[in-house]
Amino acid sequence: GSAGASCPPRCVCASNILSCSQAVLSTVPTPLPRFTAVLDLSHNNVTRLRADWAPGRLAHLHALLLSHNGLSFVSTEAFTHVPHLRHLDLSSNRLRALEENLFSDLSELEVLLLYNNEISSVDRTAFENLGRLRKLYLGQNRIARFPLELLRDGSRLPQLALLDLSANRLHSVPVGELQALPAWLRDRLYLHANPLACSCPLFQLVARGRHRQLSAVVDFLEELRCLPSAATAPVGILSLAGQQPLNCSEAREAVLEAHLGDSVTLGCDTRLRGVRQRHWVTPGGERVLEEGGNGSAALLANGSLQLRGLRPEDAGTYACWVAGPLLNETLYVDLLVHNFTLHGPHDTLNTAYTTLVGCILSVVLVLIYLYLTPCRCCCCRGAEKPPPPRDDSINSSVLSTTPNHASGVPGEPCRSRSASATGPGQNGRFKVGGTPQAPPRHGPKAQRKVSDPDSVSSVFSDTPIVV
């Protein structure tokens, strides 16, 4: 009886629910019962929501529905009297901007519906103090840029698990920042039906989402389209694979490359919230269960696996097993360990140069030994061998295979040449200034023919020069 007496005209009250939908209202009815928990004002003509729409504090109100009202103005103080609001529906209205600190009084808000409006500008402080917001619907608006930096570090909207930006006017998105978002947020980040410019990073972002079976990609695969630079008709983003002019290729997900001795961290990019337990399994089948780990593998507090001092045997596929409140998930990360250090290519290049220089020096030394080293035979030829003919060409030529030594007494060691007047010249030969005298011999004399010392430069001459 008391509830019926306090129920506004043209409204229906059921316990703590007050329904005034389709009541042809232009203002919020008064008075509102203080025990109201759900207030439905949808499908009316409430075009302005002023600060005094609720004269008293509605401490129990947790759901306010204002959709389909032609609402074009919302005061920044409109939610002062409803601090415990958890569900706010402002969809299908005529809102054009989200102004500064518009929802800052709703610290307990969890769901905010703003789709099907005329919103073209979003102030980055409009969602300030919304620490419990889980779902934000902004689809079917005129937004050309959304401040995605609100999601970068997770400090502004730490509980956000769904962001709908579909059917807006977004021409580009920061793919690198979106890829760095947690997997549970990327699973509900809707970007379809936007005039996005085609690019290979965008293709790889969508391809990874399809590989991970993310709902935002799999459920709206046909609507994920982009505009090529030379065409006016949109094409499917996934159709960019191998097609000109971009010729995009799908990047392998969860593949990490490192070098010997490096330290790497393998992330467990799970989509589950409220994880109760997780552990890693190494390629060798070893389980890493506790924080701190064993050996070179350590489980970090955030669930990542840190590997220190990589070895070739550390390469392989690592599995992260996650136990959530309702279901489990297993993630795989492929680790490639290159068989050299980070500076290995430079060291290899230096080694190649060193080897080349060593080869050149070896060739030079061989040439010096062949062409510039004087004869140091240990034994003279026997007497029984006839001396070389006297009318041969220059016998000391480096190209001749006939030794140019005088024959001596068998068993007698060779004697060094000596000059009569001048000192030794280059290559052990003697300069002009006198013909070197043949050393005295014992026994039968064997005379040796001597060439002109200056004829050493005519080694390749066709005319022999003989003294």
Side-chain angles (χ1 to χ4, degrees), residues 349-391:
L349 190 61
N350 292 336
T351 304
Y353 276 115
T354 304
T355 305
L356 179 61
V357 172
C359 292
I360 294 175
L361 289 178
S362 300
V363 172
V364 171
L365 292 176
V366 169
L367 292 176
I368 291 175
Y369 175 78
L370 291 177
Y371 295 111
L372 300 180
T373 305
C375 173
R376 288 189 177 88
C377 60
C378 54
C379 296
C380 295
R381 294 180 182 273
E384 68 279 0
K385 291 186 179 182
R390 300 181 60 87
D391 56 349

mmCIF file of all heavy atoms in Angstrom, residues 349-391:
data_model
loop_
_atom_site.group_PDB
_atom_site.id
_atom_site.type_symbol
_atom_site.label_atom_id
_atom_site.label_comp_id
_atom_site.label_asym_id
_atom_site.label_seq_id
_atom_site.Cartn_x
_atom_site.Cartn_y
_atom_site.Cartn_z
ATOM 1 N N LEU A 349 82.429 -11.478 -38.602
ATOM 2 C CA LEU A 349 82.983 -10.656 -39.667
ATOM 3 C C LEU A 349 84.442 -10.352 -39.411
ATOM 4 O O LEU A 349 85.276 -10.411 -40.319
ATOM 5 C CB LEU A 349 82.172 -9.360 -39.771
ATOM 6 C CG LEU A 349 82.443 -8.466 -40.984
ATOM 7 C CD1 LEU A 349 82.120 -9.229 -42.264
ATOM 8 C CD2 LEU A 349 81.621 -7.196 -40.907
ATOM 9 N N ASN A 350 84.798 -10.045 -38.164
ATOM 10 C CA ASN A 350 86.200 -9.784 -37.842
ATOM 11 C C ASN A 350 87.049 -11.030 -38.077
ATOM 12 O O ASN A 350 88.185 -10.946 -38.554
ATOM 13 C CB ASN A 350 86.329 -9.327 -36.386
ATOM 14 C CG ASN A 350 85.704 -7.956 -36.183
ATOM 15 O OD1 ASN A 350 85.586 -7.188 -37.136
ATOM 16 N ND2 ASN A 350 85.298 -7.669 -34.953
ATOM 17 N N THR A 351 86.524 -12.187 -37.733
ATOM 18 C CA THR A 351 87.258 -13.431 -37.966
ATOM 19 C C THR A 351 87.489 -13.663 -39.448
ATOM 20 O O THR A 351 88.554 -14.127 -39.859
ATOM 21 C CB THR A 351 86.474 -14.608 -37.361
ATOM 22 O OG1 THR A 351 86.244 -14.351 -35.977
ATOM 23 C CG2 THR A 351 87.234 -15.901 -37.517
ATOM 24 N N ALA A 352 86.513 -13.322 -40.269
ATOM 25 C CA ALA A 352 86.683 -13.477 -41.706
ATOM 26 C C ALA A 352 87.796 -12.582 -42.229
ATOM 27 O O ALA A 352 88.631 -13.009 -43.044
ATOM 28 C CB ALA A 352 85.357 -13.166 -42.417
ATOM 29 N N TYR A 353 87.824 -11.329 -41.753
ATOM 30 C CA TYR A 353 88.898 -10.429 -42.173
ATOM 31 C C TYR A 353 90.255 -10.949 -41.713
ATOM 32 O O TYR A 353 91.244 -10.893 -42.444
ATOM 33 C CB TYR A 353 88.663 -9.019 -41.619
ATOM 34 C CG TYR A 353 87.731 -8.196 -42.460
ATOM 35 C CD1 TYR A 353 86.496 -7.781 -41.958
ATOM 36 C CD2 TYR A 353 88.073 -7.840 -43.773
ATOM 37 C CE1 TYR A 353 85.627 -7.030 -42.739
ATOM 38 C CE2 TYR A 353 87.208 -7.084 -44.549
ATOM 39 C CZ TYR A 353 85.991 -6.680 -44.033
ATOM 40 O OH TYR A 353 85.148 -5.947 -44.797
ATOM 41 N N THR A 354 90.299 -11.447 -40.482
ATOM 42 C CA THR A 354 91.563 -11.975 -39.973
ATOM 43 C C THR A 354 92.029 -13.157 -40.808
ATOM 44 O O THR A 354 93.221 -13.285 -41.135
ATOM 45 C CB THR A 354 91.385 -12.401 -38.505
ATOM 46 O OG1 THR A 354 90.908 -11.292 -37.758
ATOM 47 C CG2 THR A 354 92.705 -12.880 -37.920
ATOM 48 N N THR A 355 91.113 -14.046 -41.174
ATOM 49 C CA THR A 355 91.477 -15.191 -42.008
ATOM 50 C C THR A 355 91.979 -14.744 -43.374
ATOM 51 O O THR A 355 92.963 -15.279 -43.908
ATOM 52 C CB THR A 355 90.260 -16.110 -42.173
ATOM 53 O OG1 THR A 355 89.760 -16.469 -40.876
ATOM 54 C CG2 THR A 355 90.619 -17.366 -42.953
ATOM 55 N N LEU A 356 91.325 -13.717 -43.961
ATOM 56 C CA LEU A 356 91.747 -13.223 -45.265
ATOM 57 C C LEU A 356 93.141 -12.632 -45.199
ATOM 58 O O LEU A 356 93.995 -12.902 -46.060
ATOM 59 C CB LEU A 356 90.736 -12.181 -45.763
ATOM 60 C CG LEU A 356 91.048 -11.536 -47.115
ATOM 61 C CD1 LEU A 356 91.088 -12.604 -48.209
ATOM 62 C CD2 LEU A 356 90.015 -10.475 -47.445
ATOM 63 N N VAL A 357 93.416 -11.833 -44.165
ATOM 64 C CA VAL A 357 94.749 -11.244 -44.015
ATOM 65 C C VAL A 357 95.787 -12.339 -43.816
ATOM 66 O O VAL A 357 96.900 -12.280 -44.365
ATOM 67 C CB VAL A 357 94.750 -10.244 -42.836
ATOM 68 C CG1 VAL A 357 96.160 -9.771 -42.533
ATOM 69 C CG2 VAL A 357 93.864 -9.051 -43.165
ATOM 70 N N GLY A 358 95.425 -13.371 -43.041
ATOM 71 C CA GLY A 358 96.373 -14.466 -42.838
ATOM 72 C C GLY A 358 96.691 -15.188 -44.130
ATOM 73 O O GLY A 358 97.856 -15.551 -44.382
ATOM 74 N N CYS A 359 95.671 -15.381 -44.979
ATOM 75 C CA CYS A 359 95.927 -16.028 -46.273
ATOM 76 C C CYS A 359 96.844 -15.176 -47.146
ATOM 77 O O CYS A 359 97.765 -15.690 -47.804
ATOM 78 C CB CYS A 359 94.608 -16.292 -46.984
ATOM 79 S SG CYS A 359 93.575 -17.536 -46.178
ATOM 80 N N ILE A 360 96.605 -13.862 -47.159
ATOM 81 C CA ILE A 360 97.450 -12.975 -47.970
ATOM 82 C C ILE A 360 98.894 -13.010 -47.481
ATOM 83 O O ILE A 360 99.847 -13.097 -48.275
ATOM 84 C CB ILE A 360 96.885 -11.548 -47.942
ATOM 85 C CG1 ILE A 360 95.519 -11.516 -48.654
ATOM 86 C CG2 ILE A 360 97.845 -10.567 -48.618
ATOM 87 C CD1 ILE A 360 94.839 -10.174 -48.572
ATOM 88 N N LEU A 361 99.077 -12.954 -46.178
ATOM 89 C CA LEU A 361 100.435 -13.004 -45.632
ATOM 90 C C LEU A 361 101.106 -14.326 -45.968
ATOM 91 O O LEU A 361 102.312 -14.373 -46.257
ATOM 92 C CB LEU A 361 100.390 -12.791 -44.116
ATOM 93 C CG LEU A 361 100.033 -11.369 -43.651
ATOM 94 C CD1 LEU A 361 99.972 -11.314 -42.133
ATOM 95 C CD2 LEU A 361 101.070 -10.365 -44.163
ATOM 96 N N SER A 362 100.336 -15.420 -45.936
ATOM 97 C CA SER A 362 100.926 -16.717 -46.279
ATOM 98 C C SER A 362 101.398 -16.739 -47.721
ATOM 99 O O SER A 362 102.496 -17.227 -48.039
ATOM 100 C CB SER A 362 99.897 -17.821 -46.044
ATOM 101 O OG SER A 362 99.492 -17.851 -44.694
ATOM 102 N N VAL A 363 100.601 -16.163 -48.633
ATOM 103 C CA VAL A 363 101.000 -16.110 -50.032
ATOM 104 C C VAL A 363 102.244 -15.263 -50.214
ATOM 105 O O VAL A 363 103.182 -15.619 -50.955
ATOM 106 C CB VAL A 363 99.825 -15.584 -50.885
ATOM 107 C CG1 VAL A 363 100.274 -15.338 -52.321
ATOM 108 C CG2 VAL A 363 98.664 -16.573 -50.863
ATOM 109 N N VAL A 364 102.305 -14.119 -49.513
ATOM 110 C CA VAL A 364 103.488 -13.247 -49.613
ATOM 111 C C VAL A 364 104.732 -13.966 -49.121
ATOM 112 O O VAL A 364 105.814 -13.894 -49.732
ATOM 113 C CB VAL A 364 103.241 -11.944 -48.823
ATOM 114 C CG1 VAL A 364 104.516 -11.130 -48.731
ATOM 115 C CG2 VAL A 364 102.141 -11.135 -49.497
ATOM 116 N N LEU A 365 104.610 -14.675 -48.007
ATOM 117 C CA LEU A 365 105.765 -15.399 -47.481
ATOM 118 C C LEU A 365 106.218 -16.493 -48.435
ATOM 119 O O LEU A 365 107.422 -16.737 -48.606
ATOM 120 C CB LEU A 365 105.421 -15.993 -46.112
ATOM 121 C CG LEU A 365 105.209 -14.979 -44.980
ATOM 122 C CD1 LEU A 365 104.769 -15.680 -43.704
ATOM 123 C CD2 LEU A 365 106.498 -14.196 -44.726
ATOM 124 N N VAL A 366 105.273 -17.171 -49.083
ATOM 125 C CA VAL A 366 105.648 -18.199 -50.056
ATOM 126 C C VAL A 366 106.383 -17.585 -51.235
ATOM 127 O O VAL A 366 107.410 -18.100 -51.716
ATOM 128 C CB VAL A 366 104.394 -18.967 -50.508
ATOM 129 C CG1 VAL A 366 104.714 -19.851 -51.702
ATOM 130 C CG2 VAL A 366 103.850 -19.816 -49.372
ATOM 131 N N LEU A 367 105.896 -16.426 -51.703
ATOM 132 C CA LEU A 367 106.562 -15.739 -52.810
ATOM 133 C C LEU A 367 107.957 -15.290 -52.417
ATOM 134 O O LEU A 367 108.913 -15.379 -53.198
ATOM 135 C CB LEU A 367 105.718 -14.558 -53.270
ATOM 136 C CG LEU A 367 104.378 -14.915 -53.947
ATOM 137 C CD1 LEU A 367 103.607 -13.652 -54.264
ATOM 138 C CD2 LEU A 367 104.624 -15.740 -55.195
ATOM 139 N N ILE A 368 108.093 -14.779 -51.212
ATOM 140 C CA ILE A 368 109.416 -14.362 -50.736
ATOM 141 C C ILE A 368 110.359 -15.564 -50.691
ATOM 142 O O ILE A 368 111.532 -15.489 -51.083
ATOM 143 C CB ILE A 368 109.300 -13.689 -49.353
ATOM 144 C CG1 ILE A 368 108.576 -12.341 -49.497
ATOM 145 C CG2 ILE A 368 110.668 -13.496 -48.718
ATOM 146 C CD1 ILE A 368 108.318 -11.658 -48.172
ATOM 147 N N TYR A 369 109.839 -16.684 -50.223
ATOM 148 C CA TYR A 369 110.687 -17.876 -50.132
ATOM 149 C C TYR A 369 111.108 -18.353 -51.523
ATOM 150 O O TYR A 369 112.241 -18.771 -51.737
ATOM 151 C CB TYR A 369 109.915 -18.981 -49.393
ATOM 152 C CG TYR A 369 110.665 -20.298 -49.356
ATOM 153 C CD1 TYR A 369 111.707 -20.486 -48.451
ATOM 154 C CD2 TYR A 369 110.319 -21.326 -50.217
ATOM 155 C CE1 TYR A 369 112.390 -21.687 -48.416
ATOM 156 C CE2 TYR A 369 110.994 -22.526 -50.194
ATOM 157 C CZ TYR A 369 112.037 -22.712 -49.282
ATOM 158 O OH TYR A 369 112.698 -23.894 -49.257
ATOM 159 N N LEU A 370 110.212 -18.276 -52.492
ATOM 160 C CA LEU A 370 110.522 -18.773 -53.823
ATOM 161 C C LEU A 370 111.429 -17.848 -54.614
ATOM 162 O O LEU A 370 112.313 -18.308 -55.352
ATOM 163 C CB LEU A 370 109.216 -18.995 -54.606
ATOM 164 C CG LEU A 370 108.317 -20.136 -54.127
ATOM 165 C CD1 LEU A 370 107.047 -20.182 -54.941
ATOM 166 C CD2 LEU A 370 109.053 -21.461 -54.212
ATOM 167 N N TYR A 371 111.240 -16.534 -54.493
ATOM 168 C CA TYR A 371 111.918 -15.596 -55.382
ATOM 169 C C TYR A 371 113.035 -14.794 -54.728
ATOM 170 O O TYR A 371 113.930 -14.313 -55.407
ATOM 171 C CB TYR A 371 110.890 -14.614 -55.968
ATOM 172 C CG TYR A 371 109.885 -15.292 -56.849
ATOM 173 C CD1 TYR A 371 108.557 -15.397 -56.442
ATOM 174 C CD2 TYR A 371 110.262 -15.838 -58.063
ATOM 175 C CE1 TYR A 371 107.619 -16.020 -57.251
ATOM 176 C CE2 TYR A 371 109.330 -16.471 -58.872
ATOM 177 C CZ TYR A 371 108.009 -16.559 -58.474
ATOM 178 O OH TYR A 371 107.089 -17.183 -59.263
ATOM 179 N N LEU A 372 113.014 -14.605 -53.463
ATOM 180 C CA LEU A 372 113.975 -13.712 -52.831
ATOM 181 C C LEU A 372 114.911 -14.410 -51.876
ATOM 182 O O LEU A 372 115.809 -13.773 -51.331
ATOM 183 C CB LEU A 372 113.221 -12.601 -52.082
ATOM 184 C CG LEU A 372 112.312 -11.727 -52.952
ATOM 185 C CD1 LEU A 372 111.632 -10.676 -52.092
ATOM 186 C CD2 LEU A 372 113.119 -11.060 -54.054
ATOM 187 N N THR A 373 114.739 -15.681 -51.607
ATOM 188 C CA THR A 373 115.614 -16.372 -50.664
ATOM 189 C C THR A 373 116.822 -16.938 -51.410
ATOM 190 O O THR A 373 116.662 -17.632 -52.421
ATOM 191 C CB THR A 373 114.854 -17.510 -49.970
ATOM 192 O OG1 THR A 373 113.683 -16.964 -49.364
ATOM 193 C CG2 THR A 373 115.723 -18.187 -48.934
ATOM 194 N N PRO A 374 118.108 -16.658 -50.994
ATOM 195 C CA PRO A 374 119.305 -17.221 -51.647
ATOM 196 C C PRO A 374 119.402 -18.716 -51.425
ATOM 197 O O PRO A 374 118.796 -19.268 -50.504
ATOM 198 C CB PRO A 374 120.455 -16.476 -50.974
ATOM 199 C CG PRO A 374 119.922 -16.075 -49.654
ATOM 200 C CD PRO A 374 118.464 -15.766 -49.858
ATOM 201 N N CYS A 375 120.199 -19.359 -52.296
ATOM 202 C CA CYS A 375 120.353 -20.810 -52.223
ATOM 203 C C CYS A 375 121.142 -21.203 -50.989
ATOM 204 O O CYS A 375 122.184 -20.646 -50.695
ATOM 205 C CB CYS A 375 121.058 -21.314 -53.480
ATOM 206 S SG CYS A 375 121.486 -23.065 -53.426
ATOM 207 N N ARG A 376 120.600 -22.135 -50.270
ATOM 208 C CA ARG A 376 121.330 -22.669 -49.124
ATOM 209 C C ARG A 376 121.275 -24.196 -49.194
ATOM 210 O O ARG A 376 120.637 -24.844 -48.396
ATOM 211 C CB ARG A 376 120.698 -22.190 -47.814
ATOM 212 C CG ARG A 376 120.944 -20.724 -47.541
ATOM 213 C CD ARG A 376 120.495 -20.381 -46.140
ATOM 214 N NE ARG A 376 120.778 -19.002 -45.820
ATOM 215 C CZ ARG A 376 119.967 -17.990 -46.067
ATOM 216 N NH1 ARG A 376 118.806 -18.230 -46.644
ATOM 217 N NH2 ARG A 376 120.296 -16.770 -45.749
ATOM 218 N N CYS A 377 121.953 -24.739 -50.216
ATOM 219 C CA CYS A 377 121.973 -26.194 -50.311
ATOM 220 C C CYS A 377 122.950 -26.773 -49.304
ATOM 221 O O CYS A 377 123.938 -26.154 -48.957
ATOM 222 C CB CYS A 377 122.338 -26.632 -51.722
ATOM 223 S SG CYS A 377 123.945 -26.050 -52.243
ATOM 224 N N CYS A 378 122.674 -27.892 -48.828
ATOM 225 C CA CYS A 378 123.522 -28.490 -47.803
ATOM 226 C C CYS A 378 124.598 -29.398 -48.403
ATOM 227 O O CYS A 378 125.634 -29.639 -47.787
ATOM 228 C CB CYS A 378 122.663 -29.251 -46.789
ATOM 229 S SG CYS A 378 121.592 -30.468 -47.570
ATOM 230 N N CYS A 379 124.389 -29.876 -49.590
ATOM 231 C CA CYS A 379 125.385 -30.764 -50.216
ATOM 232 C C CYS A 379 125.545 -30.389 -51.678
ATOM 233 O O CYS A 379 124.553 -30.055 -52.345
ATOM 234 C CB CYS A 379 124.966 -32.223 -50.123
ATOM 235 S SG CYS A 379 124.871 -32.820 -48.421
ATOM 236 N N CYS A 380 126.744 -30.371 -52.175
ATOM 237 C CA CYS A 380 126.995 -30.076 -53.585
ATOM 238 C C CYS A 380 126.756 -31.338 -54.408
ATOM 239 O O CYS A 380 126.742 -32.456 -53.906
ATOM 240 C CB CYS A 380 128.440 -29.603 -53.791
ATOM 241 S SG CYS A 380 128.789 -28.043 -52.979
ATOM 242 N N ARG A 381 126.604 -31.113 -55.708
ATOM 243 C CA ARG A 381 126.390 -32.241 -56.590
ATOM 244 C C ARG A 381 127.657 -33.075 -56.682
ATOM 245 O O ARG A 381 128.760 -32.578 -56.545
ATOM 246 C CB ARG A 381 126.001 -31.752 -57.977
ATOM 247 C CG ARG A 381 124.651 -31.041 -57.995
ATOM 248 C CD ARG A 381 124.356 -30.608 -59.417
ATOM 249 N NE ARG A 381 123.095 -29.897 -59.448
ATOM 250 C CZ ARG A 381 121.919 -30.497 -59.579
ATOM 251 N NH1 ARG A 381 121.887 -31.809 -59.690
ATOM 252 N NH2 ARG A 381 120.822 -29.809 -59.607
ATOM 253 N N GLY A 382 127.474 -34.283 -56.979
ATOM 254 C CA GLY A 382 128.617 -35.187 -57.135
ATOM 255 C C GLY A 382 129.401 -34.872 -58.395
ATOM 256 O O GLY A 382 128.909 -34.247 -59.336
ATOM 257 N N ALA A 383 130.672 -35.285 -58.429
ATOM 258 C CA ALA A 383 131.544 -34.999 -59.576
ATOM 259 C C ALA A 383 131.141 -35.796 -60.790
ATOM 260 O O ALA A 383 131.483 -35.443 -61.908
ATOM 261 C CB ALA A 383 133.001 -35.319 -59.209
ATOM 262 N N GLU A 384 130.411 -36.866 -60.509
ATOM 263 C CA GLU A 384 130.079 -37.682 -61.650
ATOM 264 C C GLU A 384 129.037 -37.048 -62.543
ATOM 265 O O GLU A 384 128.864 -37.455 -63.668
ATOM 266 C CB GLU A 384 129.584 -39.066 -61.186
ATOM 267 C CG GLU A 384 128.241 -39.064 -60.459
ATOM 268 C CD GLU A 384 128.385 -38.675 -59.011
ATOM 269 O OE1 GLU A 384 129.545 -38.411 -58.595
ATOM 270 O OE2 GLU A 384 127.379 -38.638 -58.291
ATOM 271 N N LYS A 385 128.318 -36.014 -62.007
ATOM 272 C CA LYS A 385 127.316 -35.362 -62.801
ATOM 273 C C LYS A 385 127.962 -34.290 -63.637
ATOM 274 O O LYS A 385 128.731 -33.479 -63.126
ATOM 275 C CB LYS A 385 126.229 -34.757 -61.916
ATOM 276 C CG LYS A 385 125.380 -35.823 -61.250
ATOM 277 C CD LYS A 385 124.245 -35.191 -60.509
ATOM 278 C CE LYS A 385 123.378 -36.254 -59.861
ATOM 279 N NZ LYS A 385 122.224 -35.675 -59.153
ATOM 280 N N PRO A 386 127.660 -34.227 -64.943
ATOM 281 C CA PRO A 386 128.303 -33.223 -65.786
ATOM 282 C C PRO A 386 127.790 -31.847 -65.443
ATOM 283 O O PRO A 386 126.647 -31.696 -65.019
ATOM 284 C CB PRO A 386 127.903 -33.657 -67.196
ATOM 285 C CG PRO A 386 126.614 -34.375 -67.008
ATOM 286 C CD PRO A 386 126.734 -35.083 -65.695
ATOM 287 N N PRO A 387 128.642 -30.838 -65.613
ATOM 288 C CA PRO A 387 128.203 -29.470 -65.351
ATOM 289 C C PRO A 387 127.192 -29.061 -66.403
ATOM 290 O O PRO A 387 127.122 -29.638 -67.476
ATOM 291 C CB PRO A 387 129.500 -28.666 -65.443
ATOM 292 C CG PRO A 387 130.375 -29.467 -66.334
ATOM 293 C CD PRO A 387 130.047 -30.893 -66.065
ATOM 294 N N PRO A 388 126.416 -28.068 -66.074
ATOM 295 C CA PRO A 388 125.421 -27.591 -67.043
ATOM 296 C C PRO A 388 126.098 -27.048 -68.266
ATOM 297 O O PRO A 388 127.232 -26.589 -68.204
ATOM 298 C CB PRO A 388 124.662 -26.512 -66.268
ATOM 299 C CG PRO A 388 125.602 -26.071 -65.217
ATOM 300 C CD PRO A 388 126.413 -27.263 -64.853
ATOM 301 N N PRO A 389 125.429 -27.072 -69.424
ATOM 302 C CA PRO A 389 126.040 -26.552 -70.640
ATOM 303 C C PRO A 389 126.391 -25.097 -70.483
ATOM 304 O O PRO A 389 125.725 -24.338 -69.808
ATOM 305 C CB PRO A 389 124.931 -26.754 -71.687
ATOM 306 C CG PRO A 389 124.030 -27.778 -71.113
ATOM 307 C CD PRO A 389 124.111 -27.642 -69.648
ATOM 308 N N ARG A 390 127.522 -24.703 -71.178
ATOM 309 C CA ARG A 390 128.012 -23.337 -71.062
ATOM 310 C C ARG A 390 127.203 -22.366 -71.903
ATOM 311 O O ARG A 390 127.277 -21.170 -71.713
ATOM 312 C CB ARG A 390 129.480 -23.289 -71.495
ATOM 313 C CG ARG A 390 130.397 -24.164 -70.656
ATOM 314 C CD ARG A 390 131.831 -24.036 -71.146
ATOM 315 N NE ARG A 390 132.300 -22.680 -71.048
ATOM 316 C CZ ARG A 390 132.858 -22.130 -69.974
ATOM 317 N NH1 ARG A 390 132.974 -22.851 -68.865
ATOM 318 N NH2 ARG A 390 133.271 -20.893 -69.953
ATOM 319 N N ASP A 391 126.499 -22.890 -72.856
ATOM 320 C CA ASP A 391 125.778 -21.979 -73.741
ATOM 321 C C ASP A 391 124.283 -21.901 -73.393
ATOM 322 O O ASP A 391 123.483 -21.537 -74.229
ATOM 323 C CB ASP A 391 125.934 -22.434 -75.182
ATOM 324 C CG ASP A 391 125.487 -23.873 -75.373
ATOM 325 O OD1 ASP A 391 125.272 -24.543 -74.321
ATOM 326 O OD2 ASP A 391 125.338 -24.296 -76.513
#
